[in-house]
């Protein structure tokens, strides 16, 4: 889907529509722990390009990944069975793969297992892969004593994620003879 300043309603309206479309693909269901529990992660990637208003020349490109992770679940507490159980196991497996990537980055090992899950593969650049980027983590926590252990675990996990040092990448513009390719907005 292409969004531009010439789109009816402007960029803000178009972005809201794109976010609504992404959210509509989100799977949710009730469990014993939550009345409306995320049954999938939501990864929405926006490729952004700025152009000179007069000449149309490409100025800058960027990538914005909006990620809403489904929370890990203690299978015993959630009382998940059947399809809900399979979903919880997939969620937990992908979060474990994310933890493995964080651990590998913290230990500065040569091989970082980005390809161990679709989630980590999609987020490779945000986790310190090939591109220069910034990562912002927002954690939503339930305000109940009953969930204190899960809340602490979520805060520790997000702290580890934001502590990753990302590599400095030389801009392609600064290299002689190389010009950045514009991103396709689809």
């Amino acid at each position: 889907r292409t969004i531009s300043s010439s789109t009816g309603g402007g960029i803000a309206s178009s972005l809201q529509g794109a976010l609504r479309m992404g959210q509509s693909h989100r799977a949710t269901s009730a469990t014993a722990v939550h009345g409306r529990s995320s049954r999938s992660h939501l990864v929405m990637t926006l490729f952004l390009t700025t152009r000179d208003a007069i000449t149309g020349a490409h100025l800058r490109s960027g990538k914005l990944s909006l990620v809403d992770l489904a929370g890990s679940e203690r299978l015993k507490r959630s009382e998940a069975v059947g399809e809900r159980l399979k979903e919880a196991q997939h969620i937990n497996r992908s979060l474990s793969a994310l933890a493995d990537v964080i651990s590998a980055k913290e230990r500065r090992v040569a091989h970082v297992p980005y390809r161990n899950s679709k989630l980590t593969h999609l987020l490779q650049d945000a986790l310190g892969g090939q591109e220069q980027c910034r990562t912002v983590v927002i954690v939503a926590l339930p305000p109940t004593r009953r969930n204190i252990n899960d809340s602490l675990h979520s805060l520790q996990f997000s702290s580890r994620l934001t502590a990753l040092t990302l590599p400095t990448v030389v801009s392609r513009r600064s290299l002689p003879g190389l010009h950045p390719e514009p991103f396709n907005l689809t």
Side-chain angles (χ1 to χ4, degrees), residues 2 33 53 73 75-76 87 93-94 97 107 112-113 115 123 135 148 162 164-165 169 173 178:
T2 302
V33 178
E73 291 188 357
L75 297 179
K76 189 174 182 178
E87 291 166 349
R93 199 173 302 127
S94 65
R107 293 180 289 122
V112 179
R115 293 185 181 256
L123 298 178
T135 302
I148 192 75
T162 56
L164 292 179
T165 55
V169 176
R173 284 188 198 151
L178 286 181

Side-chain angles (χ1 to χ4, degrees), residues 17 32 46 61 77 95 157 167:
L46 302 172
S61 294
R77 276 185 62 201
L95 291 173
F157 190 78

Side-chain angles (χ1 to χ4, degrees), residues 20-181:
R20 273 193 299 277
M21 182 179 68
Q23 187 64 27
S24 71
H25 289 29
R26 184 63 177 271
T28 60
S29 181
T31 68
V33 178
H34 300 288
R36 188 170 162 255
S37 177
S38 298
R39 308 314 303 157
S40 64
H41 304 303
L42 174 65
V43 178
M44 189 169 184
T45 303
L46 302 172
F47 294 95
L48 309 168
T49 302
T50 56
R51 298 192 178 276
D52 184 283
I54 297 170
T55 67
H58 176 265
L59 298 175
R60 295 181 83 173
S61 294
K63 177 179 171 182
L64 174 64
S65 295
L66 304 171
V67 182
D68 185 1
L69 297 175
S72 65
E73 291 188 357
R74 309 258 185 262
L75 297 179
K76 189 174 182 178
R77 276 185 62 201
S78 72
E79 299 174 9
V81 293
E83 284 301 308
R84 300 287 105 35
L85 176 63
K86 286 180 186 177
E87 291 166 349
Q89 289 170 333
H90 286 291
I91 290 166
N92 290 345
R93 199 173 302 127
S94 65
L95 291 173
S96 291
L98 181 57
D100 292 344
V101 166
I102 293 170
S103 177
K105 296 290 292 176
E106 288 171 337
R107 293 180 289 122
R108 300 190 191 303
V109 297
H111 172 71
V112 179
Y114 293 115
R115 293 185 181 256
N116 285 2
S117 86
K118 289 179 186 178
L119 177 67
T120 54
H121 185 71
L122 280 172
L123 298 178
Q124 182 173 348
D125 55 352
L127 296 170
Q130 300 300 316
E131 310 253 345
Q132 181 182 13
C133 67
R134 294 188 174 105
T135 302
V136 177
V137 178
I138 300 171
V139 181
L141 303 171
T144 60
R145 286 186 185 271
R146 178 178 71 150
N147 295 317
I148 192 75
N149 287 337
D150 292 337
S151 295
L152 288 173
H153 183 15
S154 295
L155 289 170
Q156 290 166 345
F157 190 78
S158 65
S159 178
R160 289 177 62 204
L161 182 59
T162 56
L164 292 179
T165 55
L166 302 177
T168 303
V169 176
V170 177
S171 169
R172 289 190 286 178
R173 284 188 198 151
S174 64
L175 299 175
L178 286 181
H179 300 287
E181 298 290 325

